Amino acid sequence: MTENMAAEQATAELSAWTGASAILFDLDGVLTPTATVHERAWQELFEGYLASQPRVAGYSESDYFDHIDGKPRFDGVRDFLASRGIVLPEGPTDDDPANITVQGLGNRKNRIFNDIVSAGVEPFEGSVRFLQAALDRGLKVAVVSSSRNAPAVLAAAGLSRHFEVVVDGVVAAREGLPGKPSPATYQYAARLLDLPSRECVVVEDAVSGVQAGNAGTFHSVVGVDRGAGRQTLFEAGATVVVNDLDELL
């Protein structure tokens, strides 16, 4: 990186949250490393399911980023299956994880995920430093996650006390909000904070989440590259992309 490019990057990082009133954080992959746990759980789920589908291409690492990352759980099931030309019955929301339905597979993935995180979660140190800096500056904060496990993950990471507003998959379903890449869940969090979207920064690591931020009228969209790729996040609409949130300090 040239000296000019470095200066431009530093300016962009500073302006990404200058003048904002709130930070709207995604959870998995932004505050906590649980995105990798989700990735492992999805891989275990679909490798097991596809073993019974010998004429269908197996699960690959790129499937997570291409079809699943950042989306509500059951949307991830549907979109992955669609990539293989598979259509399954929906099943009831509380379907048995042993059943081969969209809801059953989604609930099976949730069980796998909870088994993995039950030992506890360590948040990203850089994200905790940035969160504390935001709070010290008097900014409001919220978590906006597609996961229905957000409160449990926040508790396991010791972060619950910082977030009075958590818009997760359960809230989205209750309020009839479409999932990311729609901006609806982020817009709802801004309303709960009693702020216009234009005063809120969206922080995301997933392409669908960055697209959600870009689709709304938010102050800015900070992309955190945890594997999606810097250029990919920029193309999705990120204002600035960092490897760790403490780069913004």
Side-chain angles (χ1 to χ4, degrees):
M1 181 181 294
T2 67
E3 186 173 331
N4 286 341
M5 291 174 63
E8 290 175 0
Q9 173 75 2
T11 300
E13 291 173 357
L14 180 63
S15 64
W17 62 308
T18 300
S21 300
I23 311 292
L24 310 180
F25 294 91
D26 177 45
L27 177 59
D28 301 310
V30 170
L31 291 174
T32 61
T34 39
T36 58
V37 180
H38 281 287
E39 189 173 357
R40 285 170 53 196
W42 282 111
Q43 179 177 357
E44 183 174 332
L45 170 72
F46 283 125
E47 284 184 345
Y49 168 69
L50 292 176
S52 65
Q53 307 292 317
R55 298 183 181 179
V56 178
Y59 185 86
S60 67
E61 183 177 336
S62 64
D63 282 318
Y64 179 73
F65 294 104
D66 291 343
H67 308 298
I68 300 168
D69 188 24
K71 298 178 182 178
R73 187 195 317 158
F74 301 116
D75 287 348
V77 173
R78 293 186 197 95
D79 290 352
F80 173 80
L81 294 175
S83 75
R84 299 303 196 271
I86 298 172
V87 177
L88 293 178
E90 278 292 310
T93 303
D94 60 350
D95 207 352
D96 191 308
N99 290 339
I100 306 301
T101 63
V102 169
Q103 305 289 332
L105 290 177
N107 292 335
R108 189 185 310 176
K109 180 266 172 184
N110 190 51
R111 185 175 62 187
I112 296 168
F113 175 84
N114 285 325
D115 286 345
I116 297 172
V117 300
S118 61
V121 176
E122 287 293 329
F124 290 112
E125 292 183 3
S127 297
V128 173
R129 285 192 289 271
F130 177 75
L131 169 62
Q132 190 59 57
L135 294 170
D136 290 345
R137 295 187 189 190
L139 274 68
K140 296 181 179 181
V141 296
V143 162
V144 181
S145 172
S146 297
S147 173
R148 292 172 178 248
N149 300 307
V153 172
L154 284 169
L159 298 176
S160 298
R161 68 187 184 279
H162 299 301
F163 296 100
E164 293 185 7
V165 172
V166 177
V167 179
D168 66 353
V170 174
V171 173
R174 185 187 70 216
E175 299 297 325
L177 303 173
K180 306 169 188 178
S182 165
T185 51
Y186 277 110
Q187 292 166 336
Y188 186 68
R191 290 198 298 273
L192 292 179
L193 293 175
D194 198 25
L195 290 170
S197 296
R198 65 178 180 276
E199 294 183 19
C200 301
V201 177
V202 169
V203 185
E204 269 284 355
D205 70 307
V207 170
S208 61
V210 170
Q211 290 171 333
N214 186 54
T217 56
F218 296 98
H219 176 282
S220 56
V221 183
V222 175
V224 185
D225 183 13
R226 306 289 193 195
R230 292 178 62 85
Q231 189 59 36
T232 298
L233 294 175
F234 274 123
E235 290 174 356
T239 308
V240 64
V241 177
V242 297
N243 293 318
D244 203 342
L245 284 178
D246 62 3
E247 294 173 28
L248 298 174
L249 302 178

